[in-house]
Amino acid sequence: MCMKKFTLTAAGDMLIQRRIPDGYEGLSELADFIGQGDASFFNLESTINDGSGWGNQYNGGSYLRADPSVLDDAKKYGFNMMSFANNHSMDFCHWGLVQTIQAADASGIVHAGCGMSLEKAAAPAYLDLPQGRVALIAATSTMEAPAMAGSQSRYFIGRPGVNALRHDEMYELPPDLLNTVQMLADTTHINAWDDVYRREGYLPALPEGHVALGKHLMFREGEKVRRVSSANEQDMLRIERAIYEAQFQSDYIAVSIHSHEQPNTNKECPDDFLVEFCHRCIDAGADVVIGHGPHLLRPIEIYKGKPIFYSLGDFMLQNENIPYGPEDMYQMYNLTSDSTMRDLFAKRSHGFKQGLQSDHRAFETIIPMLEYENGKLVRLQLLPVDLGFGQHRSVSGLPRPCPGAPFMERLVEMSKAYQTQIVPCENGLYEVVLSD
């Protein structure tokens, strides 16, 4: 274990679609704070490509694409580590992902979570510093199935993609409700295709006492109505193996996870499988888990002395600065590419009254600063950051320090459920109380 002092700063989703102007108000203050980190992480929520190819049949909610020069903008803040394993990684198919990997390689920013094969996507990436060697392992649970990278075999090369964390969902029902689901399945023949495939051996048989309702809903008997989610064991073991390897190769291990999933209608609640995943990563040897994805803050937990950020929210939000998209994007809203993007966004947001741009929480985030001595976390400070909710699209979405921001009260309250105490301290910062 490295015996020197070490500092890590981290940010959530940088949803960037255009260049960042030099010297905008707040940039230097943010760069000063982030730059105090020997290692500084962010999640790139966009693809990097030249627009010469085609859009995918599916996307992460929008088709996100930026010029490689935006990675130079990321460096203005002091970032030197990143992930781009998220639900937008495949917005422009494999060709777009490959260009993103190439741009990330050229930028010199250490990156993890995507690769030309599953082995490369899952492998730790390393940042070598005088203070020690830092490993980054990254994954995403929010994705379409074809986005997952494929393993290389003796006969075929691997498939480019993301390091996936799949999860299993199960709904427990009392016997009378389970019988109702079975009757519904039998009456509608919703499982007919899968039933045939099971008889022919192409799908495994349903476990005893389980009832399927289509391809994505599975039920079993329980004492009460309850949803159960759990991390996919195969994916979990792969990520734990990467942590095991990183323990041998590095002094500090950061795990990044992009996860939109939620257990109920409250987006601020992390899903049960995500909590399981984060705890198992810490148990396996990770020093910190950095979550992002749902475009808002989620609770902070200190688990066995190690911090878990279930979501840091958006570091940058330019979701409505997309200059144009594939025809599929317009067709999602019964438009064509003869329409303007303003028309598209107006229709998607019901007259700019719904969506991320209308939710102030998407414009509220924090930058944590983790200070280590002799390999132990000794201080954890939080800088509140505001992205300019309600401002014109030309300037909104850019991060600026917001010391003592009122939204911190919400983070303080939601973190109490995880036995985490957050208190205000000097200069408008906040600090997580760490036990000895």
Side-chain angles (χ1 to χ4, degrees):
M1 177 63 69
C2 181
M3 301 301 287
K4 297 179 180 179
K5 292 184 178 180
F6 168 71
T7 303
L8 169 71
T9 51
D13 292 319
M14 180 182 281
L15 200 166
I16 186 169
Q17 294 296 278
R18 57 189 177 91
R19 295 303 305 272
I20 304 304
D22 288 328
Y24 80 82
E25 183 181 357
L27 172 59
S28 61
E29 292 87 344
L30 263 181
D32 287 345
F33 187 83
I34 294 171
Q36 293 180 61
D38 302 304
S40 300
F41 168 87
F42 76 102
N43 178 66
L44 175 68
E45 189 150 22
S46 181
T47 62
I48 304 295
N49 66 75
D50 60 13
S52 63
W54 53 91
N56 210 337
Q57 187 179 9
Y58 61 88
N59 62 79
S62 298
Y63 286 88
L64 301 182
R65 181 189 67 82
D67 186 84
S69 57
V70 300
L71 295 180
D72 294 327
D73 291 331
K75 293 180 182 179
K76 294 177 184 177
Y77 297 99
F79 294 118
N80 54 16
M81 303 185 81
M82 70 174 178
S83 169
F84 46 92
N86 52 61
N87 50 302
H88 290 282
S89 300
M90 295 289 287
D91 282 356
F92 290 88
C93 298
H94 291 92
W95 77 269
L97 177 66
V98 171
Q99 283 204 358
T100 306
I101 293 171
Q102 292 171 343
D105 287 342
S107 75
I109 301 175
V110 170
H111 61 92
C114 293
M116 299 301 292
S117 67
L118 182 57
E119 289 73 21
K120 291 182 178 180
Y126 297 100
L127 177 66
D128 290 292
L129 299 166
Q131 298 81 3
R133 199 178 199 212
V134 187
L136 174 65
I137 297 161
T140 178
S141 64
T142 306
M143 56 163 190
E144 298 286 342
M148 183 174 177
S151 292
Q152 185 159 321
S153 77
R154 291 191 179 100
Y155 306 105
F156 290 99
I157 62 173
R159 181 180 64 251
V162 303
N163 186 25
L165 173 67
R166 295 165 292 185
H167 64 282
D168 303 309
E169 286 189 9
M170 179 72 64
Y171 294 85
E172 295 183 351
L173 298 175
D176 56 334
L177 290 180
L178 187 64
N179 290 336
T180 301
V181 172
Q182 182 68 70
M183 182 177 63
L184 181 63
D186 294 340
T187 303
T188 62
H189 301 289
I190 194 172
N191 299 325
W193 182 276
D194 286 350
D195 288 343
V196 170
Y197 265 51
R198 287 190 179 95
R199 287 198 298 269
E200 293 177 347
Y202 294 105
L203 287 175
L206 287 177
E208 183 70 25
H210 288 59
V211 178
L213 196 61
K215 293 185 178 298
H216 304 294
L217 293 176
M218 186 71 69
F219 301 85
R220 69 185 178 197
E221 185 176 327
E223 295 182 359
K224 60 181 180 180
V225 177
R226 187 169 74 105
R227 175 183 175 273
V228 180
S229 72
S230 57
N232 178 276
E233 190 63 18
Q234 182 180 3
D235 296 341
M236 195 71 244
L237 290 175
R238 182 179 65 253
I239 293 166
E240 289 172 330
R241 180 183 174 87
I243 296 172
Y244 171 78
E245 174 66 10
Q247 282 184 305
F248 178 66
Q249 294 281 355
S250 64
D251 302 297
Y252 304 95
I253 303 172
V255 174
S256 162
I257 180 66
H258 193 82
S259 181
H260 287 248
E261 290 79 15
Q262 58 202 56
N264 49 45
T265 57
N266 184 359
K267 287 177 66 175
E268 294 175 343
C269 291
D271 208 331
D272 294 340
F273 82 87
L274 179 60
V275 176
E276 174 198 358
F277 167 80
C278 294
H279 286 187
R280 287 183 64 169
C281 285
I282 297 295
D283 290 339
D287 294 291
V288 58
V289 181
I290 305 168
H292 35 82
H295 299 289
L296 44 67
L297 289 167
R298 280 178 170 173
I300 298 172
E301 180 180 12
I302 305 299
Y303 175 72
K304 296 185 177 180
K306 309 290 182 68
I308 297 170
F309 303 97
Y310 285 109
S311 174
L312 290 178
D314 293 322
F315 176 73
M316 187 175 295
L317 185 61
Q318 297 178 343
N319 196 38
E320 293 186 355
N321 289 121
I322 301 169
Y324 52 86
E327 191 70 20
D328 305 60
M329 187 172 182
Y330 298 91
Q331 290 176 354
M332 290 166 63
Y333 306 101
N334 295 317
L335 299 172
T336 72
S337 53
D338 292 331
S339 301
T340 66
M341 290 303 294
R342 179 175 181 172
D343 295 332
L344 186 153
F345 291 132
K347 192 164 186 179
R348 182 169 78 174
S349 65
H350 298 274
F352 302 107
K353 297 177 181 178
Q354 297 179 7
L356 294 181
Q357 302 289 147
S358 301
D359 188 344
H360 64 89
R361 297 175 301 173
F363 293 77
E364 301 165 351
T365 186
I366 57 170
I367 306 294
M369 180 186 296
L370 293 72
E371 299 178 30
Y372 292 86
E373 290 184 6
N374 299 330
K376 180 181 178 181
L377 181 66
V378 296
R379 194 177 192 190
L380 173 48
Q381 291 186 303
L382 310 173
L383 171 67
V385 174
D386 177 80
L387 307 187
F389 175 69
Q391 296 181 0
H392 193 270
R393 296 296 188 277
S394 63
V395 293
S396 71
L398 290 177
R400 296 173 175 84
C402 187
F407 67 77
M408 289 298 295
E409 296 179 7
R410 195 174 74 252
L411 179 62
V412 169
E413 287 302 312
M414 72 173 77
S415 298
K416 286 181 180 178
Y418 292 80
Q419 289 75 53
T420 302
Q421 184 181 2
I422 303 173
V423 297
C425 57
E426 68 274 8
N427 301 323
L429 301 179
Y430 285 73
E431 188 164 335
V432 176
V433 178
L434 303 174
S435 59
D436 295 332

PDB file of all heavy atoms in Angstrom, residues 384-411:
ATOM      1  N   PRO A 384     -20.542  21.944  -3.732  1.00  0.00           N
ATOM      2  CA  PRO A 384     -21.796  22.056  -4.492  1.00  0.00           C
ATOM      3  C   PRO A 384     -21.545  22.798  -5.811  1.00  0.00           C
ATOM      4  O   PRO A 384     -20.793  23.774  -5.858  1.00  0.00           O
ATOM      5  CB  PRO A 384     -22.713  22.862  -3.566  1.00  0.00           C
ATOM      6  CG  PRO A 384     -22.071  22.799  -2.211  1.00  0.00           C
ATOM      7  CD  PRO A 384     -20.602  22.688  -2.460  1.00  0.00           C
ATOM      8  N   VAL A 385     -22.194  22.320  -6.863  1.00  0.00           N
ATOM      9  CA  VAL A 385     -22.031  22.894  -8.195  1.00  0.00           C
ATOM     10  C   VAL A 385     -23.402  23.062  -8.836  1.00  0.00           C
ATOM     11  O   VAL A 385     -24.257  22.172  -8.738  1.00  0.00           O
ATOM     12  CB  VAL A 385     -21.135  21.997  -9.082  1.00  0.00           C
ATOM     13  CG1 VAL A 385     -21.075  22.515 -10.516  1.00  0.00           C
ATOM     14  CG2 VAL A 385     -19.725  21.906  -8.499  1.00  0.00           C
ATOM     15  N   ASP A 386     -23.596  24.190  -9.498  1.00  0.00           N
ATOM     16  CA  ASP A 386     -24.862  24.512 -10.154  1.00  0.00           C
ATOM     17  C   ASP A 386     -24.628  24.639 -11.655  1.00  0.00           C
ATOM     18  O   ASP A 386     -23.607  25.186 -12.092  1.00  0.00           O
ATOM     19  CB  ASP A 386     -25.407  25.834  -9.599  1.00  0.00           C
ATOM     20  CG  ASP A 386     -26.694  26.257 -10.287  1.00  0.00           C
ATOM     21  OD1 ASP A 386     -27.757  25.722  -9.932  1.00  0.00           O
ATOM     22  OD2 ASP A 386     -26.614  27.106 -11.198  1.00  0.00           O
ATOM     23  N   LEU A 387     -25.572  24.132 -12.469  1.00  0.00           N
ATOM     24  CA  LEU A 387     -25.437  24.142 -13.922  1.00  0.00           C
ATOM     25  C   LEU A 387     -26.306  25.190 -14.607  1.00  0.00           C
ATOM     26  O   LEU A 387     -26.403  25.202 -15.841  1.00  0.00           O
ATOM     27  CB  LEU A 387     -25.773  22.761 -14.507  1.00  0.00           C
ATOM     28  CG  LEU A 387     -25.047  21.539 -13.943  1.00  0.00           C
ATOM     29  CD1 LEU A 387     -25.385  20.300 -14.753  1.00  0.00           C
ATOM     30  CD2 LEU A 387     -23.557  21.759 -13.906  1.00  0.00           C
ATOM     31  N   GLY A 388     -26.920  26.083 -13.840  1.00  0.00           N
ATOM     32  CA  GLY A 388     -27.657  27.182 -14.465  1.00  0.00           C
ATOM     33  C   GLY A 388     -29.051  26.812 -14.920  1.00  0.00           C
ATOM     34  O   GLY A 388     -29.434  27.075 -16.077  1.00  0.00           O
ATOM     35  N   PHE A 389     -29.827  26.229 -14.028  1.00  0.00           N
ATOM     36  CA  PHE A 389     -31.202  25.861 -14.360  1.00  0.00           C
ATOM     37  C   PHE A 389     -32.000  27.099 -14.770  1.00  0.00           C
ATOM     38  O   PHE A 389     -31.930  28.148 -14.138  1.00  0.00           O
ATOM     39  CB  PHE A 389     -31.878  25.196 -13.161  1.00  0.00           C
ATOM     40  CG  PHE A 389     -33.328  24.878 -13.366  1.00  0.00           C
ATOM     41  CD1 PHE A 389     -33.712  23.888 -14.252  1.00  0.00           C
ATOM     42  CD2 PHE A 389     -34.321  25.576 -12.684  1.00  0.00           C
ATOM     43  CE1 PHE A 389     -35.041  23.579 -14.449  1.00  0.00           C
ATOM     44  CE2 PHE A 389     -35.652  25.277 -12.867  1.00  0.00           C
ATOM     45  CZ  PHE A 389     -36.016  24.278 -13.759  1.00  0.00           C
ATOM     46  N   GLY A 390     -32.770  26.963 -15.854  1.00  0.00           N
ATOM     47  CA  GLY A 390     -33.641  28.037 -16.304  1.00  0.00           C
ATOM     48  C   GLY A 390     -32.984  29.060 -17.198  1.00  0.00           C
ATOM     49  O   GLY A 390     -33.674  29.936 -17.745  1.00  0.00           O
ATOM     50  N   GLN A 391     -31.684  28.976 -17.388  1.00  0.00           N
ATOM     51  CA  GLN A 391     -31.010  29.918 -18.269  1.00  0.00           C
ATOM     52  C   GLN A 391     -31.201  29.519 -19.728  1.00  0.00           C
ATOM     53  O   GLN A 391     -31.646  28.418 -20.047  1.00  0.00           O
ATOM     54  CB  GLN A 391     -29.517  29.986 -17.926  1.00  0.00           C
ATOM     55  CG  GLN A 391     -29.223  30.518 -16.531  1.00  0.00           C
ATOM     56  CD  GLN A 391     -27.733  30.596 -16.245  1.00  0.00           C
ATOM     57  OE1 GLN A 391     -26.896  30.260 -17.080  1.00  0.00           O
ATOM     58  NE2 GLN A 391     -27.388  31.033 -15.044  1.00  0.00           N
ATOM     59  N   HIS A 392     -30.850  30.407 -20.636  1.00  0.00           N
ATOM     60  CA  HIS A 392     -30.979  30.138 -22.052  1.00  0.00           C
ATOM     61  C   HIS A 392     -30.114  28.954 -22.455  1.00  0.00           C
ATOM     62  O   HIS A 392     -29.056  28.712 -21.870  1.00  0.00           O
ATOM     63  CB  HIS A 392     -30.577  31.380 -22.860  1.00  0.00           C
ATOM     64  CG  HIS A 392     -30.972  31.320 -24.303  1.00  0.00           C
ATOM     65  ND1 HIS A 392     -30.157  30.785 -25.284  1.00  0.00           N
ATOM     66  CD2 HIS A 392     -32.113  31.720 -24.930  1.00  0.00           C
ATOM     67  CE1 HIS A 392     -30.768  30.855 -26.457  1.00  0.00           C
ATOM     68  NE2 HIS A 392     -31.956  31.428 -26.280  1.00  0.00           N
ATOM     69  N   ARG A 393     -30.557  28.199 -23.473  1.00  0.00           N
ATOM     70  CA  ARG A 393     -29.829  27.003 -23.898  1.00  0.00           C
ATOM     71  C   ARG A 393     -28.379  27.304 -24.268  1.00  0.00           C
ATOM     72  O   ARG A 393     -27.534  26.424 -24.229  1.00  0.00           O
ATOM     73  CB  ARG A 393     -30.524  26.349 -25.103  1.00  0.00           C
ATOM     74  CG  ARG A 393     -31.935  25.813 -24.836  1.00  0.00           C
ATOM     75  CD  ARG A 393     -31.936  24.681 -23.828  1.00  0.00           C
ATOM     76  NE  ARG A 393     -33.243  24.067 -23.714  1.00  0.00           N
ATOM     77  CZ  ARG A 393     -34.224  24.541 -22.966  1.00  0.00           C
ATOM     78  NH1 ARG A 393     -34.047  25.646 -22.271  1.00  0.00           N
ATOM     79  NH2 ARG A 393     -35.390  23.922 -22.911  1.00  0.00           N
ATOM     80  N   SER A 394     -28.076  28.524 -24.648  1.00  0.00           N
ATOM     81  CA  SER A 394     -26.719  28.864 -25.058  1.00  0.00           C
ATOM     82  C   SER A 394     -25.741  28.845 -23.889  1.00  0.00           C
ATOM     83  O   SER A 394     -24.531  28.713 -24.095  1.00  0.00           O
ATOM     84  CB  SER A 394     -26.694  30.254 -25.717  1.00  0.00           C
ATOM     85  OG  SER A 394     -27.093  31.258 -24.790  1.00  0.00           O
ATOM     86  N   VAL A 395     -26.235  28.995 -22.671  1.00  0.00           N
ATOM     87  CA  VAL A 395     -25.331  29.054 -21.510  1.00  0.00           C
ATOM     88  C   VAL A 395     -25.693  28.054 -20.417  1.00  0.00           C
ATOM     89  O   VAL A 395     -24.857  27.767 -19.561  1.00  0.00           O
ATOM     90  CB  VAL A 395     -25.311  30.481 -20.895  1.00  0.00           C
ATOM     91  CG1 VAL A 395     -24.664  31.458 -21.861  1.00  0.00           C
ATOM     92  CG2 VAL A 395     -26.712  30.938 -20.513  1.00  0.00           C
ATOM     93  N   SER A 396     -26.912  27.524 -20.421  1.00  0.00           N
ATOM     94  CA  SER A 396     -27.276  26.577 -19.362  1.00  0.00           C
ATOM     95  C   SER A 396     -26.522  25.267 -19.561  1.00  0.00           C
ATOM     96  O   SER A 396     -26.107  24.922 -20.667  1.00  0.00           O
ATOM     97  CB  SER A 396     -28.786  26.309 -19.362  1.00  0.00           C
ATOM     98  OG  SER A 396     -29.159  25.542 -20.482  1.00  0.00           O
ATOM     99  N   GLY A 397     -26.356  24.559 -18.469  1.00  0.00           N
ATOM    100  CA  GLY A 397     -25.665  23.276 -18.527  1.00  0.00           C
ATOM    101  C   GLY A 397     -24.201  23.343 -18.213  1.00  0.00           C
ATOM    102  O   GLY A 397     -23.549  22.301 -18.067  1.00  0.00           O
ATOM    103  N   LEU A 398     -23.626  24.570 -18.107  1.00  0.00           N
ATOM    104  CA  LEU A 398     -22.222  24.705 -17.759  1.00  0.00           C
ATOM    105  C   LEU A 398     -22.069  24.732 -16.242  1.00  0.00           C
ATOM    106  O   LEU A 398     -22.796  25.450 -15.555  1.00  0.00           O
ATOM    107  CB  LEU A 398     -21.639  25.985 -18.357  1.00  0.00           C
ATOM    108  CG  LEU A 398     -21.463  26.022 -19.878  1.00  0.00           C
ATOM    109  CD1 LEU A 398     -20.948  27.386 -20.308  1.00  0.00           C
ATOM    110  CD2 LEU A 398     -20.516  24.922 -20.339  1.00  0.00           C
ATOM    111  N   PRO A 399     -21.105  23.987 -15.691  1.00  0.00           N
ATOM    112  CA  PRO A 399     -20.968  23.916 -14.230  1.00  0.00           C
ATOM    113  C   PRO A 399     -20.261  25.137 -13.651  1.00  0.00           C
ATOM    114  O   PRO A 399     -19.293  25.651 -14.225  1.00  0.00           O
ATOM    115  CB  PRO A 399     -20.123  22.652 -14.036  1.00  0.00           C
ATOM    116  CG  PRO A 399     -19.301  22.562 -15.289  1.00  0.00           C
ATOM    117  CD  PRO A 399     -20.171  23.086 -16.391  1.00  0.00           C
ATOM    118  N   ARG A 400     -20.759  25.563 -12.497  1.00  0.00           N
ATOM    119  CA  ARG A 400     -20.156  26.659 -11.739  1.00  0.00           C
ATOM    120  C   ARG A 400     -20.232  26.322 -10.255  1.00  0.00           C
ATOM    121  O   ARG A 400     -21.254  25.786  -9.801  1.00  0.00           O
ATOM    122  CB  ARG A 400     -20.894  27.975 -11.991  1.00  0.00           C
ATOM    123  CG  ARG A 400     -20.812  28.482 -13.434  1.00  0.00           C
ATOM    124  CD  ARG A 400     -21.707  29.687 -13.647  1.00  0.00           C
ATOM    125  NE  ARG A 400     -21.558  30.249 -14.973  1.00  0.00           N
ATOM    126  CZ  ARG A 400     -22.191  29.814 -16.066  1.00  0.00           C
ATOM    127  NH1 ARG A 400     -23.007  28.771 -15.966  1.00  0.00           N
ATOM    128  NH2 ARG A 400     -21.991  30.395 -17.226  1.00  0.00           N
ATOM    129  N   PRO A 401     -19.200  26.632  -9.493  1.00  0.00           N
ATOM    130  CA  PRO A 401     -19.267  26.407  -8.043  1.00  0.00           C
ATOM    131  C   PRO A 401     -20.443  27.162  -7.438  1.00  0.00           C
ATOM    132  O   PRO A 401     -20.752  28.282  -7.839  1.00  0.00           O
ATOM    133  CB  PRO A 401     -17.936  26.955  -7.530  1.00  0.00           C
ATOM    134  CG  PRO A 401     -17.023  26.931  -8.708  1.00  0.00           C
ATOM    135  CD  PRO A 401     -17.892  27.186  -9.897  1.00  0.00           C
ATOM    136  N   CYS A 402     -21.094  26.533  -6.471  1.00  0.00           N
ATOM    137  CA  CYS A 402     -22.251  27.142  -5.816  1.00  0.00           C
ATOM    138  C   CYS A 402     -22.144  26.852  -4.319  1.00  0.00           C
ATOM    139  O   CYS A 402     -22.909  26.040  -3.773  1.00  0.00           O
ATOM    140  CB  CYS A 402     -23.546  26.584  -6.400  1.00  0.00           C
ATOM    141  SG  CYS A 402     -25.050  27.397  -5.836  1.00  0.00           S
ATOM    142  N   PRO A 403     -21.195  27.505  -3.639  1.00  0.00           N
ATOM    143  CA  PRO A 403     -20.974  27.214  -2.216  1.00  0.00           C
ATOM    144  C   PRO A 403     -22.244  27.399  -1.390  1.00  0.00           C
ATOM    145  O   PRO A 403     -22.997  28.346  -1.584  1.00  0.00           O
ATOM    146  CB  PRO A 403     -19.900  28.243  -1.821  1.00  0.00           C
ATOM    147  CG  PRO A 403     -19.220  28.600  -3.102  1.00  0.00           C
ATOM    148  CD  PRO A 403     -20.291  28.542  -4.148  1.00  0.00           C
ATOM    149  N   GLY A 404     -22.481  26.449  -0.490  1.00  0.00           N
ATOM    150  CA  GLY A 404     -23.633  26.542   0.396  1.00  0.00           C
ATOM    151  C   GLY A 404     -24.969  26.412  -0.294  1.00  0.00           C
ATOM    152  O   GLY A 404     -25.987  26.906   0.202  1.00  0.00           O
ATOM    153  N   ALA A 405     -25.020  25.722  -1.422  1.00  0.00           N
ATOM    154  CA  ALA A 405     -26.249  25.616  -2.214  1.00  0.00           C
ATOM    155  C   ALA A 405     -27.387  24.994  -1.402  1.00  0.00           C
ATOM    156  O   ALA A 405     -27.178  24.017  -0.679  1.00  0.00           O
ATOM    157  CB  ALA A 405     -25.995  24.773  -3.460  1.00  0.00           C
ATOM    158  N   PRO A 406     -28.618  25.541  -1.523  1.00  0.00           N
ATOM    159  CA  PRO A 406     -29.759  24.997  -0.773  1.00  0.00           C
ATOM    160  C   PRO A 406     -30.050  23.531  -1.079  1.00  0.00           C
ATOM    161  O   PRO A 406     -30.552  22.807  -0.222  1.00  0.00           O
ATOM    162  CB  PRO A 406     -30.921  25.906  -1.203  1.00  0.00           C
ATOM    163  CG  PRO A 406     -30.278  27.176  -1.652  1.00  0.00           C
ATOM    164  CD  PRO A 406     -28.973  26.769  -2.270  1.00  0.00           C
ATOM    165  N   PHE A 407     -29.733  23.069  -2.314  1.00  0.00           N
ATOM    166  CA  PHE A 407     -30.063  21.679  -2.656  1.00  0.00           C
ATOM    167  C   PHE A 407     -29.261  20.679  -1.832  1.00  0.00           C
ATOM    168  O   PHE A 407     -29.606  19.490  -1.788  1.00  0.00           O
ATOM    169  CB  PHE A 407     -29.875  21.424  -4.154  1.00  0.00           C
ATOM    170  CG  PHE A 407     -28.446  21.496  -4.646  1.00  0.00           C
ATOM    171  CD1 PHE A 407     -27.545  20.461  -4.419  1.00  0.00           C
ATOM    172  CD2 PHE A 407     -28.013  22.598  -5.373  1.00  0.00           C
ATOM    173  CE1 PHE A 407     -26.244  20.521  -4.900  1.00  0.00           C
ATOM    174  CE2 PHE A 407     -26.709  22.670  -5.857  1.00  0.00           C
ATOM    175  CZ  PHE A 407     -25.826  21.628  -5.622  1.00  0.00           C
ATOM    176  N   MET A 408     -28.216  21.129  -1.162  1.00  0.00           N
ATOM    177  CA  MET A 408     -27.435  20.217  -0.333  1.00  0.00           C
ATOM    178  C   MET A 408     -28.258  19.661   0.817  1.00  0.00           C
ATOM    179  O   MET A 408     -27.978  18.564   1.305  1.00  0.00           O
ATOM    180  CB  MET A 408     -26.193  20.922   0.192  1.00  0.00           C
ATOM    181  CG  MET A 408     -25.145  21.203  -0.872  1.00  0.00           C
ATOM    182  SD  MET A 408     -24.474  19.693  -1.634  1.00  0.00           S
ATOM    183  CE  MET A 408     -23.638  18.925  -0.246  1.00  0.00           C
ATOM    184  N   GLU A 409     -29.273  20.396   1.232  1.00  0.00           N
ATOM    185  CA  GLU A 409     -30.134  19.895   2.304  1.00  0.00           C
ATOM    186  C   GLU A 409     -30.795  18.585   1.895  1.00  0.00           C
ATOM    187  O   GLU A 409     -30.995  17.686   2.721  1.00  0.00           O
ATOM    188  CB  GLU A 409     -31.182  20.946   2.665  1.00  0.00           C
ATOM    189  CG  GLU A 409     -30.600  22.239   3.253  1.00  0.00           C
ATOM    190  CD  GLU A 409     -31.674  23.255   3.576  1.00  0.00           C
ATOM    191  OE1 GLU A 409     -32.885  22.908   3.472  1.00  0.00           O
ATOM    192  OE2 GLU A 409     -31.320  24.393   3.926  1.00  0.00           O
ATOM    193  N   ARG A 410     -31.147  18.489   0.619  1.00  0.00           N
ATOM    194  CA  ARG A 410     -31.780  17.264   0.130  1.00  0.00           C
ATOM    195  C   ARG A 410     -30.799  16.096   0.161  1.00  0.00           C
ATOM    196  O   ARG A 410     -31.143  14.967   0.542  1.00  0.00           O
ATOM    197  CB  ARG A 410     -32.312  17.485  -1.287  1.00  0.00           C
ATOM    198  CG  ARG A 410     -33.297  16.417  -1.755  1.00  0.00           C
ATOM    199  CD  ARG A 410     -33.916  16.740  -3.091  1.00  0.00           C
ATOM    200  NE  ARG A 410     -32.992  16.548  -4.201  1.00  0.00           N
ATOM    201  CZ  ARG A 410     -32.432  17.532  -4.900  1.00  0.00           C
ATOM    202  NH1 ARG A 410     -32.698  18.799  -4.586  1.00  0.00           N
ATOM    203  NH2 ARG A 410     -31.603  17.281  -5.892  1.00  0.00           N
ATOM    204  N   LEU A 411     -29.559  16.349  -0.250  1.00  0.00           N
ATOM    205  CA  LEU A 411     -28.539  15.302  -0.218  1.00  0.00           C
ATOM    206  C   LEU A 411     -28.247  14.877   1.212  1.00  0.00           C
ATOM    207  O   LEU A 411     -28.072  13.681   1.498  1.00  0.00           O
ATOM    208  CB  LEU A 411     -27.258  15.792  -0.898  1.00  0.00           C
ATOM    209  CG  LEU A 411     -26.090  14.805  -0.909  1.00  0.00           C
ATOM    210  CD1 LEU A 411     -26.450  13.541  -1.683  1.00  0.00           C
ATOM    211  CD2 LEU A 411     -24.838  15.463  -1.496  1.00  0.00           C
TER     212      LEU A 411
END
